[in-house]
Amino acid sequence: MPWRASVNLHEYQAKTLFAQYGIPVPKGKAALTPEEVYDFATELNAPVMIKAQVLSNQRVQNGMIQVAQTADIARDHAAVLLGARMNGQVVDRVLVERLVTSVSEIYLSITYDRERRKPVLLVSEMGGSTVEQTAQDRPEAIIREEINPFLGVLDYQARELASSINLPHEYWEAFTKIAQSLYDCFASSDAILAEINPLILNDENVFYAVDGRMMIDDNAQYRQPELHRMRNPAAESAVETQAHQAGITFHQLQGQVTCMVNGAGLAMTVMDLIMLYGSPDVRPANFLDMGEDVSLKKVVSAFDIALTDSGIRSMLVNIFGGITPCDEIANTVLEVIGSRQITVPIVVRLAGTRAEAGQAIIENGQVSNLWSEPSLMAAVKRSIEVARGIANGDSGR
Amino acid sequence: MAILADRNTDLIVQGISGREGSFYTRHMIAYGTNIVGGITPGKGGEWVHGKPVFDSVKKAMDATGANASIIFTPAPAASDAIYEAVDAQIALIVSITQGIPIQDMLKIYDYVSHSNSRLVGPNCPGILTPGQANIGIMPGAIARPGNIGLVSRSGTLMYEVIQALSEAGLGQTTCVGIGADPIIGMNFVEILQMFEEDAETEKVVMIGEIGGRGEISAAEYIKSSMTKPVAAFITGKSAPIETRMGHAGAVIEGINDTAAAKIEALLAAGARVADYPAQIPFLLS
């Protein structure tokens, strides 16, 4: 499924976790103002790194990471970075860290391989932001090792990995400890990714996790409340937050037909078909998945979420009723249209439990600009025609 | 014949007393599924929809001879329910439960793969062998007995295809929802293999989506080992490319997880690929 829901931790949050699991990180602090940066830089005895806390793999290329030789320069960099924008995010804090001199840069991460259905550790002696390119150009430069989820990273596995990236054997023990700690951190935090990039050896032959990334599984929210409080509300729109709270997956796109569907696969198919038959002038306005099993409460929430966009010309509701039968869904649809005084033309397609009864309720609803269609294809085509009608100044019916 | 479930499947329901478990037990009984009992720890001795409730899977199996279990237990207790079913050595486990954490599934898959049990799901609609057994939450009325085998990652999208097949007079041997979660029990290749070996199944339909490499592996299997014709539908062509955090996902998935890459691989393997769900019946005739 696309858009696997997760909490993406910022570097400073990931490093706080790493430190808790005994992974060495450079001494540093997160700061909210240039004055704080000055104080921390003084405390850490500059030179320091000033790192904007935005979720991106391209921070260096975008000037979001700066080196400052003095506390004054650190403050100046912070003044520029704080409030800057990248990938739609506003930098609200920077990480101030003691500069570490790297002799070699290693890539080390743990995630899962969905095809092999196992946790997997990835390591490369060519760390840094070019690791994806390396994976394409020289796949053999990325070593992968499957991990037994009941045992974690075994000593021999870590030694083999250390040897495979040409680490001299005097570092194997320290590397083993880091790999095992990272696995503990990954498993105990309900992470779907724990990544250190780069893991460096400094000029005093000590390992440091210089940059880090963690993604926490949304399904584990019930047992990881602290990590889920780290969710960055600024990284998602207000309507996405509203959807998340209602148990609805919602992604805004640029289009004219707003969709409301149950089941991610079917929601994507609705998007695909609107693109196929509506392009180039009519496109889907969103991806909205209410989950396979819809409740009436979700139907109401979904209407509110689906109608937030201003450029909408028609709405397509496609529900395959299961535990909640189509006649109840149809009645709720009519109630919402009435109580919210919705004027956007709506095409409803109901299938599954008591579909005919639901279709009859929509057809007999005495609501203008409301259509009931028995098939997915007819509903998609109708919603496109209606969107086009309005675009031409026609009332749609 | 069919695969995984038929009229000889004696089913127990783990979580039979819960809201979903109780609702779908009635739904499955109404279809004619042979439900022999249910499990709700602490409620042994009670009855739900005329079926005896037991405290444990072991007790239910000893008393009823059940050979399959369906799990509705909510996510926080679902892994315990699956381990219990595996330890009781039941042949088939179908987990409907949504929201099981990935860390739990990594352990569960490892455990199941070292047992003789088969796991379908989690976060799946179940298994439907028309006219014989409905193990899960699928609307049984849309299916017809016949010779088409179906396997899908998503639920409601598969219902669209089942409905289109039935309306075109093409019945199904078995419809299997393998689940949409990243870590699942049986995958596309394992189900395709069962359909290939099933004497009754003549043609196979596979419904996939963007993300993961499951459909690519399926294409490789179709090319190397399948003699039966396969029609496929892959959804997510217009989905914006996911912004990946970190590099590991891209390294593992590579560039093969897009709908376009999957369609290309399936076409190259000799499968027919539909543009829309209702086109599938035409590709099979």
Side-chain angles (χ1 to χ4, degrees):
Chain A
M1 200 173 80
W3 308 304
R4 171 85 197 166
S6 63
V7 180
N8 302 325
L9 301 192
H10 282 294
E11 177 194 7
Y12 76 97
Q13 295 166 324
K15 282 178 167 171
T16 306
L17 269 182
F18 290 168
Q20 283 169 15
Y21 285 87
I23 297 167
V25 296
K27 210 168 177 185
K29 273 183 178 177
L32 296 162
T33 64
E35 289 65 40
E36 267 188 319
V37 170
Y38 178 87
D39 292 345
F40 293 163
T42 310
E43 202 180 309
L44 292 167
N45 201 6
V48 289
M49 304 273 281
I50 312 294
K51 309 173 86 177
Q53 297 301 291
V54 284
L55 299 169
S56 163
N57 295 336
Q58 306 289 327
R59 287 188 300 168
V60 175
Q61 295 86 332
N62 285 275
M64 290 283 153
I65 296 179
Q66 301 287 342
V67 177
Q69 294 300 325
T70 68
D72 280 316
I73 297 171
R75 182 174 49 200
D76 293 347
H77 281 312
V80 175
L81 291 177
L82 286 164
R85 297 183 74 93
M86 185 181 174
N87 293 354
Q89 305 164 58
V90 177
V91 179
D92 64 355
R93 74 185 77 207
V94 294
L95 179 61
V96 187
E97 263 184 6
R98 179 174 285 167
L99 187 67
V100 285
T101 315
S102 99
V103 174
S104 68
E105 297 199 340
I106 295 165
Y107 175 85
L108 176 65
S109 73
I110 299 170
T111 183
Y112 59 88
D113 183 330
R114 52 193 289 172
E115 188 60 9
R116 299 277 306 147
R117 294 167 281 192
K118 287 179 192 306
V120 56
L121 189 150
L122 298 173
V123 64
S124 173
E125 60 183 313
M126 301 171 74
S129 57
T130 55
V131 66
E132 278 177 41
Q133 198 57 47
T134 305
Q136 272 187 36
D137 301 342
R138 289 186 48 210
E140 71 284 358
I142 314 268
I143 320 283
R144 27 187 316 156
E145 182 76 11
E146 288 177 1
I147 310 298
N148 181 313
F150 290 100
L151 298 174
V153 179
L154 297 167
D155 288 356
Y156 88 87
Q157 289 181 301
R159 285 196 303 269
E160 289 265 310
L161 289 166
S163 150
S164 70
I165 57 166
N166 301 311
L167 266 182
H169 67 86
E170 56 265 37
Y171 301 116
W172 289 4
E173 200 181 322
F175 177 84
T176 298
K177 193 170 172 299
I178 290 170
Q180 291 175 338
S181 300
L182 189 65
Y183 188 82
D184 288 347
C185 180
F186 167 79
S188 306
S189 310
D190 271 299
I192 55 180
L193 168 72
E195 180 175 82
I196 304 175
N197 186 32
L199 172 70
I200 66 130
L201 257 181
N202 76 354
D203 47 7
E204 290 166 354
N205 298 328
V206 180
F207 281 112
Y208 281 106
V210 165
D211 198 354
R213 177 87 66 212
M214 296 225 11
M215 295 168 72
I216 311 297
D217 185 1
D218 250 17
N219 283 353
Q221 186 162 4
Y222 70 90
R223 63 186 183 199
Q224 301 285 357
E226 282 184 21
L227 292 175
H228 280 267
R229 273 194 289 275
M230 292 183 184
R231 180 183 294 281
N232 179 11
E236 53 188 31
S237 65
V239 59
E240 280 171 355
T241 307
Q242 187 190 346
H244 185 257
Q245 283 162 356
I248 290 167
T249 311
F250 176 78
H251 289 271
Q252 191 104 53
L253 306 165
Q254 301 295 320
Q256 294 72 37
V257 183
T258 187
C259 313
M260 219 178 106
V261 185
N262 68 320
L266 191 50
M268 283 192 286
T269 302
V270 166
M271 277 175 55
D272 289 353
L273 293 179
I274 293 172
M275 281 295 271
L276 184 64
Y277 295 102
S279 223
D281 55 319
V282 176
R283 291 162 176 266
N286 58 16
F287 167 93
L288 192 160
D289 169 24
M290 293 181 271
E292 303 246 333
D293 234 343
V294 282
S295 64
L296 298 177
K297 205 176 144 201
K298 267 196 190 176
V299 172
V300 176
S301 308
F303 262 100
D304 290 338
I305 291 158
L307 290 168
T308 43
D309 192 358
S310 55
I312 290 165
R313 292 182 195 151
S314 71
M315 179 176 194
L316 173 53
V317 179
N318 189 86
I319 298 177
F320 226 110
I323 197 165
T324 309
C326 291
D327 48 353
E328 291 180 23
I329 294 167
N331 281 322
T332 302
V333 167
L334 293 183
E335 274 166 40
V336 175
I337 293 173
S339 66
R340 304 285 200 279
Q341 299 189 321
I342 295 169
T343 53
V344 173
I346 302 175
V347 180
V348 180
R349 187 282 177 118
L350 297 170
T353 315
R354 304 215 287 267
E356 284 84 7
Q359 288 162 11
I361 289 168
I362 299 289
E363 279 159 19
N364 302 327
Q366 306 287 321
V367 179
S368 58
N369 284 335
L370 177 68
W371 291 263
S372 173
E373 292 290 351
S375 80
L376 172 63
M377 208 57 152
V380 165
K381 287 185 170 165
R382 171 77 72 183
S383 70
I384 293 167
E385 282 165 20
V386 171
R388 284 192 177 132
I390 286 184
N392 296 334
D394 191 312
S395 75
R397 193 173 227 185
Chain B
M1 278 256 298
I3 67 165
L4 293 167
D6 55 28
R7 58 174 61 85
N8 298 317
T9 302
D10 290 332
L11 184 70
I12 49 174
V13 181
Q14 287 178 259
I16 193 168
S17 311
R19 180 180 168 267
E20 287 200 356
S22 166
F23 178 89
Y24 285 113
T25 296
R26 201 173 54 201
H27 164 90
M28 291 185 285
I29 292 170
Y31 192 81
T33 311
N34 189 22
I35 293 185
V36 294
I39 291 96
T40 300
K43 295 197 172 175
E46 295 183 7
W47 295 77
V48 174
H49 304 311
K51 305 296 174 186
V53 179
F54 300 89
D55 283 322
S56 74
V57 175
K58 181 84 174 54
K59 283 178 184 157
M61 284 175 71
D62 288 347
T64 66
N67 54 16
S69 176
I70 184 162
I71 298 180
F72 288 98
T73 315
S79 34
D80 185 65
I82 298 173
Y83 288 128
E84 185 185 351
V86 175
D87 284 349
Q89 298 181 23
I90 202 154
L92 175 68
I93 303 164
V94 180
S95 173
I96 305 299
T97 311
Q98 293 178 26
I100 301 181
I102 285 177
Q103 293 291 339
D104 290 3
M105 276 314 302
L106 290 167
K107 287 184 172 167
I108 287 167
Y109 176 72
D110 187 85
Y111 203 73
V112 171
S113 66
H114 292 97
S115 77
N116 292 321
S117 300
R118 285 188 164 122
L119 173 66
V120 173
N123 191 13
C124 79
I127 302 163
L128 172 59
T129 295
Q132 300 191 47
N134 188 356
I135 300 184
I137 65 174
M138 290 190 224
I142 60 174
R144 302 274 177 279
N147 304 100
I148 313 283
L150 241 89
V151 55
S152 171
R153 266 164 76 179
S154 72
T156 50
L157 177 56
M158 175 165 65
Y159 307 164
E160 292 285 351
V161 176
I162 296 173
Q163 197 167 44
L165 287 170
S166 296
E167 281 170 7
L170 295 169
Q172 306 91 38
T173 44
T174 303
C175 309
V176 186
I178 56 174
D181 277 3
I183 306 293
I184 52 174
M186 296 190 77
N187 61 18
F188 276 126
V189 171
E190 286 154 353
I191 301 294
L192 289 177
Q193 211 162 355
M194 294 188 81
F195 280 134
E196 175 68 16
E197 286 160 14
D198 175 43
E200 211 182 347
T201 301
E202 289 171 3
K203 296 172 183 175
V204 180
V205 175
M206 175 187 142
I207 303 154
E209 57 189 54
I210 55 169
R213 304 192 315 273
E215 293 82 355
I216 301 288
S217 302
E220 286 160 8
Y221 176 75
I222 291 167
K223 193 171 191 175
S224 68
S225 312
M226 277 191 84
T227 58
K228 298 176 182 177
V230 178
F233 179 68
I234 303 292
T235 190
K237 288 191 272 288
S238 63
I241 292 168
E242 191 180 2
T243 328
R244 283 196 174 104
M245 296 310 303
H247 303 283
V251 170
I252 289 193
E253 305 282 358
I255 51 168
N256 287 337
D257 68 339
T258 62
K262 292 177 179 188
I263 290 168
E264 196 185 324
L266 285 162
L267 288 171
R272 293 182 165 194
V273 182
D275 291 328
Y276 54 95
Q279 192 187 13
I280 293 226
F282 299 100
L283 300 186
L284 290 172
S285 53

